[in-house]
Amino acid sequence: MSDRKNIVLFITDQWRWDTLNQPGHPAKLPNLRRFMDEATNLPNAFTTVPLCTPARASLFTGKLPHQHGTMDNVQGRSFYPHGKLHPAQRTYLERLQDGGYRVAFIGKWHLGDRTLLERGITDVQLSDGGETELMQTAPVVLAEGGKSPYYATVAQGVPLDEQRVEAAIAKLAELGADDQPFCLVVCLHGPHFPHHVPQRFVDLYDDLPDDYMPPNFAPQFSETGKPAAQGAFYWPCQDTSHMTPADWRRTTQHYWGFCSYIDDMFGRLRRAMTEQGLDDRTVLGFTADHGEMLGAHGWFDKGPFFYEEVMRIPMILRDPAGTPDTRRNHVSFHDLFPTVIERAGAADLLSGDEEGRSFWNSAAQEVYYVYDAYQGRQFRFRGIRETRLKYAWSPHDTEELYDLDLDPHERVNLADHPDYQDARWRLRCRLFDWMDAQGDWLAGPGHHPPVGSYIDGRDAAEQHRHPQ
């Protein structure tokens, strides 16, 4: 039997950090909380970029968006329906397979139609990287009274994500019967909208107060001192002008219900691992590509900004050789594969730099992140977050600086405040030093088109019509 451990990653889409890490949070997640008790929790984990495709490209390559070139969403109804992560960008899945691992992938890929198959990863199920379309859903019946994509209740049928987890449980039994080490990646669409959730999980939140609103809610676009990029919506459901307090309550009820639904699925997979005797030889991780605004600052979904609601992500890892712990170093989503490969005893598949980026080999107290484009529009932002201070810079938009100790909800932009100018300059210098080290072209002089400009030259005031 190989000394290398198996790797199982359970990756969700748009899962908020606070559901698992904020004390007293009302989200009911018993299976994940039990998992936290047997694993290492990393409460200071952040996405690399709060957008699905570039975040996933960074996860699977270990590179930043300007290094792998995939800076905007692709496929489906996006601005780039036929886009993909370029074949020249080799992923950790290929490297693991070439290094002796059996690799299986189930679920959302979002890096190009059928391109997992094109990369030689052939054990693919219910995935747009295989034969399933990105926007495909299961034939479910929704109850009346919903407001999709914000909230709707599943009355009949089995949603696609549940089918994916059932397929993963069956795949575990197949993979675990062999001595060859394996890497199984299970990527769900949820709790990304549409929030279509079985009734029993929605009912868990019937006690949500009638007047519930997030603590930093504001009518959309009403806040002052914010970048111009935050002054418009860029996907139809991001327009929240029609949302009533009752709509926000129902949306939150369904979002948390979606999280509880996935918690139930994760519990099934976790029990299957134990029943199949895989606990002692498998590194298991739970995470998300980014978060969800859920009414914060008046936004639904996400956008070209670095608010905590979209930047912070859950990150829970179980190494059978380790002990339950909480590590408070700052870690980034794109360093997850180097971490689990190192924990699995396969560090020989990594470069020295990659091995050094393992969460266990870092004591960083800061994290950096980026944003470049959304739906064909250019939004150039770079950011650094320390424990207390958070700074964002753009060559064509307003700088932001937040004191998270005094303003945890990021309401007041302190970039121009006289008491914070030394801190602003220090953070900007740290950010530019990092950009230079990463070969980020944005650090150098050059022309930058106005914020929100389309890549094809059309007027920025035009709303692109996405196919329905």
Side-chain angles (χ1 to χ4, degrees), residues 234-295:
Y234 308 104
W235 189 259
C237 70
Q238 293 174 353
D239 176 10
T240 64
S241 60
H242 57 91
M243 295 286 280
T244 67
D247 286 332
W248 282 117
R249 178 187 180 277
R250 290 286 283 162
T251 298
T252 301
Q253 185 182 22
H254 280 69
Y255 177 82
W256 290 348
F258 210 159
C259 293
S260 293
Y261 181 29
I262 294 172
D263 173 84
D264 183 76
M265 298 181 215
F266 178 83
R268 278 183 265 166
L269 183 129
R270 180 69 193 91
R271 289 189 292 275
M273 281 185 57
T274 299
E275 292 165 1
Q276 295 168 21
L278 294 171
D279 285 358
D280 292 340
R281 53 191 179 102
T282 304
V283 175
L284 172 63
F286 174 89
T287 190
D289 58 353
H290 52 74
E292 154 70 51
M293 291 300 285
L294 202 63

Side-chain angles (χ1 to χ4, degrees), residues 340-414:
V340 295
I341 291 172
E342 183 262 337
R343 292 284 97 184
D348 57 297
L349 301 180
L350 302 172
S351 68
D353 172 72
E354 288 174 315
E355 188 175 356
R357 286 159 46 194
S358 167
F359 300 162
W360 269 260
N361 294 334
S362 169
Q365 295 300 306
E366 74 287 328
V367 70
Y368 300 88
Y369 32 67
V370 307
Y371 205 103
D372 288 287
Y374 182 62
Q375 300 304 340
R377 296 174 181 263
Q378 301 176 72
F379 301 101
R380 310 296 184 186
F381 292 93
R382 299 293 184 264
I384 175 174
R385 186 200 189 277
E386 299 176 336
T387 301
R388 176 174 176 174
L389 297 177
K390 179 177 184 179
Y391 171 76
W393 172 84
S394 171
H396 55 195
D397 210 340
T398 300
E399 293 174 87
E400 291 176 280
L401 177 63
Y402 298 102
D403 186 329
L404 298 173
D405 281 358
L406 301 179
D407 180 25
H409 300 305
E410 300 169 281
R411 303 301 297 267
V412 181
N413 181 5
L414 299 170

Side-chain angles (χ1 to χ4, degrees), residues 8-29:
V8 176
L9 289 180
F10 194 102
I11 302 171
T12 62
D13 193 326
Q14 215 145 300
W15 186 298
R16 286 173 60 117
W17 166 93
D18 56 355
T19 57
L20 284 161
N21 290 285
Q22 179 179 299
H25 194 281
K28 298 174 175 65
L29 307 169

Side-chain angles (χ1 to χ4, degrees), residues 77-147:
R77 297 194 295 268
S78 75
F79 195 84
Y80 306 97
H82 305 297
K84 63 182 178 181
L85 176 66
H86 194 277
Q89 298 295 329
R90 195 159 175 255
T91 71
Y92 287 110
L93 301 180
E94 294 148 274
R95 292 167 63 179
L96 283 164
Q97 184 166 269
D98 291 348
Y101 272 75
R102 183 174 172 185
V103 175
F105 191 100
I106 297 173
K108 184 175 181 179
W109 170 240
H110 210 174
L111 292 172
D113 295 330
R114 302 189 80 256
T115 55
L116 276 171
L117 301 178
E118 293 172 4
R119 290 174 176 274
I121 308 298
T122 57
D123 195 346
V124 179
Q125 296 182 62
L126 300 175
S127 173
D128 54 290
E131 303 294 350
T132 302
E133 292 185 6
L134 176 67
M135 308 300 287
Q136 181 173 321
T137 59
V140 300
V141 176
L142 301 179
E144 294 183 359
K147 188 173 184 173

Side-chain angles (χ1 to χ4, degrees), residues 165-355:
V165 173
E166 290 302 317
I169 291 171
K171 180 58 65 174
L172 274 177
E174 175 190 335
L175 295 170
D178 195 332
D179 286 344
Q180 182 181 5
F182 66 82
C183 173
L184 171 63
V185 179
V186 185
C187 280
L188 303 190
H189 178 83
H192 191 295
F193 68 87
H195 300 151
H196 298 167
V197 187
Q199 184 70 55
R200 67 186 184 277
F201 296 103
V202 178
D203 290 346
L204 293 173
Y205 302 97
D206 278 346
D207 59 351
L208 195 65
D210 291 341
D211 61 351
Y212 172 83
M213 294 293 281
N216 55 347
F217 174 81
Q220 197 171 30
F221 315 138
S222 67
E223 294 180 305
T224 59
K226 303 289 186 173
Q230 298 179 31
F233 63 87
Y234 308 104
W235 189 259
C237 70
Q238 293 174 353
D239 176 10
T240 64
S241 60
H242 57 91
M243 295 286 280
T244 67
D247 286 332
W248 282 117
R249 178 187 180 277
R250 290 286 283 162
T251 298
T252 301
Q253 185 182 22
H254 280 69
Y255 177 82
W256 290 348
F258 210 159
C259 293
S260 293
Y261 181 29
I262 294 172
D263 173 84
D264 183 76
M265 298 181 215
F266 178 83
R268 278 183 265 166
L269 183 129
R270 180 69 193 91
R271 289 189 292 275
M273 281 185 57
T274 299
E275 292 165 1
Q276 295 168 21
L278 294 171
D279 285 358
D280 292 340
R281 53 191 179 102
T282 304
V283 175
L284 172 63
F286 174 89
T287 190
D289 58 353
H290 52 74
E292 154 70 51
M293 291 300 285
L294 202 63
H297 305 277
W299 280 83
F300 176 78
D301 185 27
K302 51 193 177 289
F305 40 70
F306 295 143
Y307 288 123
E308 298 283 275
E309 289 83 0
V310 292
M311 296 308 301
R312 301 192 80 165
I313 56 175
M315 184 69 71
I316 312 169
L317 301 176
R318 181 185 183 274
D319 177 357
T323 56
D325 191 14
T326 298
R327 293 185 60 87
R328 299 196 178 277
N329 51 311
H330 288 48
V331 302
S332 185
F333 187 55
H334 71 284
D335 293 331
L336 176 55
F337 264 100
T339 299
V340 295
I341 291 172
E342 183 262 337
R343 292 284 97 184
D348 57 297
L349 301 180
L350 302 172
S351 68
D353 172 72
E354 288 174 315
E355 188 175 356

